[in-house]
């Protein structure tokens, strides 16, 4: 972490609050900024959803009716890849001393029970896919993808996610010019 030398002057805070919660004492009189560690521990947590939005974009922009099935299959393959990852227990979920074998992950997010940068990247895209694909292709994320649905439900339960998502109508309006009619 970056070390910060204490400021000797007075800081006027327009909000009247204290900055003490943002710093922790480190090595004598030096302070360092403390903030949540947002990097995922598992590289796969960043990689697993990297192609999903590209597959969705190709699907939603497609105008050829006969090609639509192939684009949809490609999108479904990416959802399956994500679902498999979300349902596979991570190493830190497995208790080697437990008699019970964990066969399906119970974690809330990609890398565990805390949001990471990987979630901050993927979840807004999943929300857009869910809304725009339904509106313009009558496509629903299949219910069989239980890991994806658990992941989405856990995200929608978080205020920081729901308060930063655009309204469904806003997504629909944005994609109105992008989604091509099939011919």
């Amino acid at each position: 972490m970056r070390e910060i030398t204490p400021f000797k002057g007075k800081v006027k805070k327009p909000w009247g609050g204290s900055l003490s919660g943002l710093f922790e004492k480190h090595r004598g009189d030096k302070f360092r900024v403390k903030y949540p560690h947002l990097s995922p521990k598992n590289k796969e947590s960043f990689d697993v959803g990297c192609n999903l939005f590209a597959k969705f974009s190709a699907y939603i922009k497609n105008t050829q009716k006969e090609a639509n099935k192939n684009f949809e299959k490609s999108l479904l393959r990416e959802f399956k890849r994500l679902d498999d990852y979300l349902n596979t227990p991570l190493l830190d979920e497995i208790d080697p001393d437990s008699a019970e074998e964990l066969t399906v992950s119970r974690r809330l997010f990609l890398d565990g029970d805390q949001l990471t940068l990987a979630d901050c990247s993927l979840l807004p895209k999943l929300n857009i896919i869910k809304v725009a694909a339904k509106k313009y292709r009558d496509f629903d994320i299949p219910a069989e993808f239980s890991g994806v649905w658990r992941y989405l439900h856990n995200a929608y339960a978080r205020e920081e996610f729901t308060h930063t998502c655009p309204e469904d109508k806003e997504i629909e309006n944005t994609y109105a010019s992008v989604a091509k009619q099939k011919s």
Side-chain angles (χ1 to χ4, degrees), residues 3-6 24-32:
E3 292 186 2
I4 299 173
T5 310
E24 59 186 359
K25 204 160 183 75
H26 179 69
R27 292 191 195 145
D29 67 340
K30 293 191 177 182
F31 290 82
R32 64 180 177 190

Side-chain angles (χ1 to χ4, degrees), residues 52-154:
L52 195 60
F53 203 72
K55 300 299 182 185
F56 159 72
S57 294
Y59 176 59
I60 202 81
K61 292 175 184 176
N62 172 48
T63 58
Q64 305 301 313
K65 197 172 194 169
E66 61 279 354
N68 194 59
K69 278 289 180 209
N70 289 332
F71 284 111
E72 189 173 306
K73 281 181 189 175
S74 184
L75 178 61
L76 286 169
R77 268 194 304 275
E78 288 303 312
F79 269 115
K80 173 81 169 110
R81 185 170 165 245
L82 175 60
D83 191 64
D84 288 347
Y85 182 73
L86 288 166
N87 281 327
T88 302
L90 298 175
L91 288 177
D92 55 349
E93 288 182 275
I94 299 168
D95 181 1
D97 299 327
S98 175
E100 179 187 336
E101 183 182 352
L102 183 64
T103 56
V104 176
S105 176
R106 297 182 192 122
R107 69 183 181 275
L108 302 177
F109 301 106
L110 285 172
D111 206 57
D113 290 339
Q114 301 299 317
L115 285 167
T116 65
L117 290 173
D119 301 301
C120 294
S121 175
L122 183 58
L123 283 166
K125 294 172 187 168
L126 280 176
N127 185 58
I128 290 168
I129 293 169
K130 183 176 83 64
V131 173
K134 177 63 178 168
K135 171 75 176 176
Y136 295 107
R137 291 291 182 263
D138 196 28
F139 173 89
D140 286 310
I141 300 168
E144 68 197 52
F145 294 146
S146 60
V148 173
W149 281 110
R150 182 184 73 244
Y151 181 49
L152 280 169
H153 289 299
N154 290 328

